[in-house]
Amino acid sequence: ENNYLWNSLLAESAIVKIPIPDLTVSKLDDFFHIYTALKTITVRVDRVEESIYVNDIIWLESDNHNCIIHTSKRDYVTRSTFAQLGEKLPAADFFKPVRYAMVAFRAITAIPSDKLVLTDGTVIPIPKDSRASVKRAYMDYQWKVLSDKKGGR
């Protein structure tokens, strides 16, 4: 008796389809982009905790025992390790083209054959053995961005 009721509920719910208007999906996309734009990481700079918007970060640079976070507004020097900061950043949006740098994909303006050119004018040389993988990673990122804009998930 209990199974009969459950099976009939399942059958009815399989038939009923609730249309979701494109407007709702668009609003959810807008919310998601606003939410990710407001995402921050917290780092200690000197003796003060600083919150930095992830979207402001252009690239990170390892410098001996320090890590320099280059943003669109200013540079932050922190004693956090390169690995610690890398764990705080979204892996889909950042990559490590060379041992001492981690770059935001969206901050790349050009990839000539042997270097990356960033929005702040920084030029990062790409080692010969990793040029193909850097270009492939960037193309994968661009494809993801275009797919998200077109609505294909």
Side-chain angles (χ1 to χ4, degrees):
E1 192 175 311
N2 222 0
N3 283 341
Y4 173 75
L5 180 61
W6 180 253
N7 287 337
S8 64
L9 283 174
L10 284 176
E12 287 179 21
S13 65
I15 294 170
V16 176
K17 292 185 179 179
I18 302 170
I20 299 174
D22 288 338
L23 182 63
T24 304
V25 174
S26 174
K27 292 293 182 191
L28 288 173
D29 282 346
D30 290 346
F31 172 77
F32 177 74
H33 290 298
I34 290 169
Y35 172 76
T36 55
L38 297 176
K39 187 173 182 175
T40 62
I41 62 168
T42 303
V43 295
R44 184 178 296 276
V45 177
D46 295 325
R47 294 183 181 152
V48 178
E49 294 281 323
E50 296 268 1
S51 288
I52 304 169
Y53 288 110
V54 171
N55 278 352
D56 286 345
I57 298 173
I58 297 171
W59 69 294
L60 289 91
E61 178 181 11
S62 177
D63 182 35
N64 293 327
H65 297 288
N66 295 325
C67 190
I68 304 167
I69 303 169
H70 300 275
T71 70
S72 54
K73 295 178 177 69
R74 65 175 263 222
D75 294 344
Y76 298 88
V77 179
T78 180
R79 298 286 289 176
S80 297
T81 66
F82 201 56
Q84 288 170 335
L85 289 175
E87 290 173 6
K88 292 181 179 183
L89 297 171
D93 297 333
F94 288 84
F95 80 112
K96 195 174 169 185
V98 291
R99 220 176 29 145
Y100 65 87
M102 188 175 300
V103 176
F105 280 116
R106 66 180 156 53
I108 298 171
T109 58
I111 306 179
S113 64
D114 60 345
K115 58 190 165 224
L116 293 174
V117 182
L118 306 180
T119 55
D120 66 349
T122 302
V123 175
I124 298 175
I126 306 171
K128 190 177 259 186
D129 60 336
S130 61
R131 288 178 189 160
S133 63
V134 167
K135 288 181 180 181
R136 190 175 320 108
Y138 182 67
M139 295 306 291
D140 290 345
Y141 170 78
Q142 288 295 352
W143 181 257
K144 179 185 163 289
V145 168
L146 288 172
S147 296
D148 286 350
K149 284 183 180 177
K150 296 253 182 208
R153 284 170 183 63

